[in-house]
Amino acid sequence: MAARDYGQYGGIPRALELVGERWALLIVRDLLVGPRRYGELAEGLPRIPSNILAARLKELQEAGILRRAPRSRVIVYELTPYGRELEPVILALGAWGFKALEDPREEQIITPDSMTMDLRAAFRSHVAADLPATAYAARVGQAELLIRVDGSSLDVMRGDGPADLAFAAGPDIRRLISGELAPSRAIETGVVEVLHGRGALLDRFASTFHLAA
Amino acid sequence: MAARDYGQYGGIPRALELVGERWALLIVRDLLVGPRRYGELAEGLPRIPSNILAARLKELQEAGILRRAPRSRVIVYELTPYGRELEPVILALGAWGFKALEDPREEQIITPDSMTMDLRAAFRSHVAADLPATAYAARVGQAELLIRVDGSSLDVMRGDGPADLAFAAGPDIRRLISGELAPSRAIETGVVEVLHGRGALLDRFASTFHLAA
DNA sequence: CCGCATCCCATGTGATACTG
DNA sequence: CAGTATCACATGGGATGCGG
């Protein structure tokens, strides 16, 4: 790539040369959830122009961060091992940015992949380790996620499924994760709507996923 | 700021809105080493145009990441507590990018602040904890650094001073830190020139600072 | 001199249209 | 569906200017 140069020799300038261009880290974020087709990426990044998506995919590929892989007649993009090493960076960045979230603007949407990575960033494995295994089915905006916590491991999948607690919420779920809003209050005020299961399990959810300013 | 929008609501898009613009993270990196004046920042970022530096400083200030602080007649820029929380992000990014470093291009320089943060990223505190306290005086390119390791704590200062080992090196010191080049070979081949002290201490340096692909 | 602001041009980006 | 092509525009880069 060797695109735009910062004139410096060091780890950070080098990283920014590789993934510092606009949209690049969002593409990597979505691919950290799993391999994606071109159209799936475009769908998850609604405002990216197609020429930019194509250009970034080419650059990230040349940088050895992702590869095009043929999967039974269709092509998917997947991270290379080196690309997957960006996970700590993305999680740290997401945790930091999460704390600066304000109320969503009109046009801002929540995608399944973005929600998945935010949950990973907010996941407190040491807390979860002391809690019983739990499955949550969450609908947040457009995103339908099946969240399974078992010991200190977290698995987030798209779609629905059997769960101990099923709930729907809007972007205000951020207030639950930040601790700004207690679980009981979240239900009372309608920020979270319990669809199935004991609402008390939302306490467990809030202690498992927490990211405070 | 609310500059360019990604149309998504989440931690990572939010972070990129705040520090995703070109040069922003390099400014934060230098300020993580310590407060800096406008001219010092410009000196450490040789290729940044002055209008961009001024614009970024204003944006980062409005985002609550840094503040202008008057220090006895002159103004310095320093990180706010929230800005300092970017340190894990910068270190993770630097560690990742370090592994992708190739041979330096002609115009690429090493600045004291960039070298300092790279050393912090490569520092293995658990290794250092088992080694005797050591002070290194390193001259790498333009940068003169005094590196003091004591237990699991690391302190890097600009300038010279008393040290157990003083050495000079070029950008190829990367090969020492990546493990590509053994300390003894580094001295033999002239990659590292020992100025003072026992060359054997370079072994200790290499185990203290290590970042392998 | 330091701390910017202004100007101009090259390049990257964004919206739309289009093609294999 | 998976991208290219085109073109208007915003941003970045480099030189220069300028007030305190």
Side-chain angles (χ1 to χ4, degrees), chain A residues 5-11 14 17 22 26 29 44 82 85 96 99-100 102 105 107-109 118 174, chain B residues 5-11 14 17 22 29 44 82 85 96 99-100 102 105 107-109 118 174:
Chain A
D5 192 3
Y6 287 95
Q8 288 194 351
Y9 188 68
R14 181 66 180 139
E17 282 173 24
R22 195 164 157 75
L26 289 179
R29 178 202 60 182
Y82 187 55
E85 289 183 36
W96 182 84
K99 300 179 188 172
E102 301 170 354
R105 291 188 285 277
E107 77 290 0
Q108 290 188 314
I109 65 166
D118 278 354
R174 164 182 71 84
Chain B
D5 193 2
Y6 288 96
Q8 288 194 353
Y9 188 69
R14 181 65 180 138
E17 282 173 23
R22 196 164 156 75
R29 177 201 61 183
Y82 187 55
E85 289 183 36
W96 182 84
K99 300 178 187 172
E102 301 171 352
R105 292 189 287 277
E107 77 290 359
Q108 289 188 315
I109 64 165
D118 277 354
R174 164 181 70 83

Side-chain angles (χ1 to χ4, degrees), chain A residues 38-108:
Chain A
Y38 184 93
E40 293 175 316
L41 288 170
E43 192 185 356
L45 274 13
R47 318 228 328 178
I48 195 175
S50 60
N51 57 343
I52 301 293
L53 176 56
R56 290 294 170 274
L57 288 173
K58 195 172 295 179
E59 292 159 5
L60 291 171
Q61 192 184 345
E62 284 166 10
I65 292 165
L66 56 81
R67 71 168 75 94
R68 305 175 80 213
R71 286 285 164 78
S72 64
R73 295 206 36 90
V74 297
I75 285 176
V76 297
Y77 294 89
E78 61 181 14
L79 293 177
T80 63
Y82 187 55
R84 256 178 271 120
E85 289 183 36
L86 277 168
E87 178 157 5
V89 176
I90 300 268
L91 291 179
L93 197 63
W96 182 84
F98 190 90
K99 300 179 188 172
L101 276 179
E102 301 170 354
D103 290 327
R105 291 188 285 277
E106 185 54 44
E107 77 290 0
Q108 290 188 314

Side-chain angles (χ1 to χ4, degrees), chain B residues 82-138:
Chain B
Y82 187 55
R84 255 178 273 119
E85 289 183 36
L86 277 168
E87 178 157 5
V89 176
I90 300 268
L91 291 181
L93 196 64
W96 182 84
F98 190 90
K99 300 178 187 172
L101 276 179
E102 301 171 352
D103 289 328
R105 292 189 287 277
E106 184 53 45
E107 77 290 359
Q108 289 188 315
I109 64 165
I110 295 182
T111 69
D113 289 346
S114 106
M115 187 67 200
T116 298
M117 293 308 292
D118 277 354
L119 285 172
R120 284 200 205 168
F123 182 58
R124 299 196 293 178
S125 59
H126 55 287
V127 172
D130 296 332
L131 293 170
T134 314
Y136 308 90

Side-chain angles (χ1 to χ4, degrees), chain B residues 30-210:
Chain B
D30 285 4
L31 291 180
L32 275 170
V33 178
R36 294 282 180 268
R37 300 174 54 173
Y38 183 94
E40 292 175 317
L41 289 171
E43 192 185 357
L45 274 12
R47 317 230 326 183
I48 195 174
S50 62
N51 57 342
I52 300 294
L53 177 55
R56 291 292 170 275
L57 288 173
K58 195 172 298 179
E59 292 159 5
L60 291 171
Q61 191 184 345
E62 283 165 12
I65 293 165
L66 56 80
R67 70 169 74 96
R68 305 174 80 215
R71 287 285 164 78
S72 63
R73 293 199 46 83
V74 296
I75 285 177
V76 296
Y77 293 88
E78 62 181 13
L79 294 177
T80 62
Y82 187 55
R84 255 178 273 119
E85 289 183 36
L86 277 168
E87 178 157 5
V89 176
I90 300 268
L91 291 181
L93 196 64
W96 182 84
F98 190 90
K99 300 178 187 172
L101 276 179
E102 301 171 352
D103 289 328
R105 292 189 287 277
E106 184 53 45
E107 77 290 359
Q108 289 188 315
I109 64 165
I110 295 182
T111 69
D113 289 346
S114 106
M115 187 67 200
T116 298
M117 293 308 292
D118 277 354
L119 285 172
R120 284 200 205 168
F123 182 58
R124 299 196 293 178
S125 59
H126 55 287
V127 172
D130 296 332
L131 293 170
T134 314
Y136 308 90
R139 184 150 52 78
V140 181
Q142 329 255 20
E144 281 207 341
L145 297 177
L146 186 61
I147 304 159
R148 288 193 299 196
V149 180
D150 189 354
S152 61
S153 87
L154 166 67
D155 183 33
V156 183
M157 296 183 344
R158 300 159 85 166
D160 211 337
D164 302 299
L165 173 69
F167 64 87
D172 280 345
I173 195 174
R174 164 181 70 83
R175 299 176 180 277
L176 182 68
I177 294 174
S178 72
E180 207 177 315
L181 191 66
S184 55
R185 284 288 298 159
I187 296 176
E188 284 170 26
T189 57
V191 166
V192 171
E193 184 192 355
V194 174
L195 305 173
H196 165 265
R198 294 188 306 118
L201 283 175
L202 199 61
D203 283 326
R204 193 183 293 173
F205 180 87
S207 11
T208 304
F209 301 95
H210 184 76

Side-chain angles (χ1 to χ4, degrees), chain A residues 151-164:
Chain A
S152 61
S153 88
L154 166 67
D155 183 33
V156 184
M157 294 183 346
R158 300 158 86 164
D160 211 337
D164 302 299

